[in-house]
Amino acid sequence: LYVQLIDYKSGGTSFDLAALYYGLQLQLVVYLDAALEMEERKNPGKEVVPAGIFYHNIQAPLVEKKAAMTPEEIEVGILKKLRMNGLVNSSLDVIRHLDREIEKESDVIPVALKDGIIQETRSSVAGGERFSALSAFVSRSLREMGDEILSGVVSVNPWKQGQKTACDYCPYHSICSFDLKTSGYGFRRFKSMKPEEIWKEIEKELEEEEPEEETMDQEGGTENG
């Protein structure tokens, strides 16, 4: 049973693996985990597989008309504007379920094929193991955030990524009093990484966490014994 998660947006939100890694864009994975769990309960005995997570911008697209454009070319331009962005399961079976007419570049999902092979540089895909790693990473991030909230962490430490900052739409400036003109205040900046580098960091962090959990379980077992 394949499950795709679509978050409809009225703005220009785009899936960003780096933003997810730094804890700024966790919602799609949280929603997907909830949907998978629900489908597993509804369909006992069936394998439930994540097909993809997507943002779909629902504003009416505008295409700049160039000289001698045919109606077909205009239609192609509109479809490209409407194409969902996100992360797709790299299984060709899944891809052909999500877009049954895909030949080269999909106008539905962020995937491009050449001779039936996924073009990695023009696609946003991940295998099943990486979807599982993403789920585990996000769950761990949420636990850490919760622990910080409960322990009273309220430091004024906003981020800046490119031209975007945590302060752009924040209504609490009068409370935090963050001001770059004041000594000691500054934006937290993130290291720029390519998607493959981010995947390796996620997998590395999860691998480093596993031995600690095993050690805790063994210690607990000794005490109970």
Side-chain angles (χ1 to χ4, degrees):
L1 181 66
Y2 296 133
V3 176
Q4 67 169 329
L5 194 290
I6 304 173
D7 189 359
Y8 294 93
K9 295 292 188 181
S10 58
T13 305
S14 296
F15 178 76
D16 184 345
L17 190 61
L20 188 153
Y21 176 71
Y22 289 116
L24 309 180
Q25 202 180 82
L26 305 179
Q27 65 269 40
L28 278 184
V29 178
V30 174
Y31 298 161
L32 177 66
D33 284 347
L36 291 172
E37 183 179 334
M38 180 178 67
E39 291 301 328
E40 286 171 353
R41 289 200 305 266
K42 289 167 57 180
N43 300 275
K46 278 192 175 183
E47 182 184 7
V48 180
V49 177
I53 49 177
F54 305 102
Y55 287 118
H56 184 35
N57 298 314
I58 59 175
Q59 285 186 336
L62 296 175
V63 176
E64 182 180 352
K65 186 176 181 181
K66 299 178 182 178
M69 283 185 75
T70 66
E72 290 75 17
E73 289 173 330
I74 294 173
E75 182 70 16
V76 168
I78 290 174
L79 288 174
K80 282 186 177 181
K81 293 273 188 177
L82 288 172
R83 180 169 53 196
M84 298 186 294
N85 70 86
L87 189 66
V88 185
N89 191 313
S90 59
S91 163
L92 285 175
D93 187 49
V94 172
I95 289 170
R96 295 193 184 281
H97 272 78
L98 293 174
D99 184 354
R100 298 183 185 277
E101 298 179 359
I102 185 171
E103 293 181 3
K104 293 183 179 180
E105 185 174 12
S106 173
D107 54 17
V108 180
I109 55 177
V111 173
L113 302 178
K114 184 178 181 180
D115 299 326
I117 299 173
I118 298 171
Q119 300 298 288
E120 299 281 350
T121 57
R122 299 169 57 202
S123 305
S124 178
V125 297
E129 289 185 1
R130 283 191 165 175
F131 265 97
S132 296
L134 206 59
S135 174
F137 179 80
V138 168
S139 294
R140 191 195 69 171
S141 298
L142 290 174
R143 288 196 303 271
E144 291 174 350
M145 291 177 184
D147 289 341
E148 288 184 355
I149 292 171
L150 290 173
S151 61
V153 175
V154 291
S155 56
V156 180
N157 191 24
W159 54 266
K160 183 173 184 179
Q161 188 179 30
Q163 298 301 314
K164 296 181 180 179
T165 78
C167 304
D168 290 345
Y169 302 104
C170 178
Y172 301 110
H173 178 73
S174 60
I175 297 175
C176 79
S177 300
F178 177 79
D179 190 344
L180 291 173
K181 297 176 183 177
T182 303
S183 176
Y185 283 98
F187 283 113
R188 179 164 42 106
R189 296 178 183 272
F190 302 126
K191 176 185 175 183
S192 177
M193 292 190 290
K194 295 179 180 179
E196 190 59 31
E197 293 176 311
I198 297 170
W199 282 117
K200 288 180 179 178
E201 285 296 318
I202 289 173
E203 291 160 356
K204 178 183 174 183
E205 290 182 25
L206 292 175
E207 286 173 2
E208 290 174 350
E209 186 180 27
E210 286 176 0
E212 295 179 4
E213 291 182 348
E214 289 176 3
T215 301
M216 291 175 63
D217 290 342
Q218 289 171 3
E219 291 174 354
T222 302
E223 291 174 2
N224 292 333

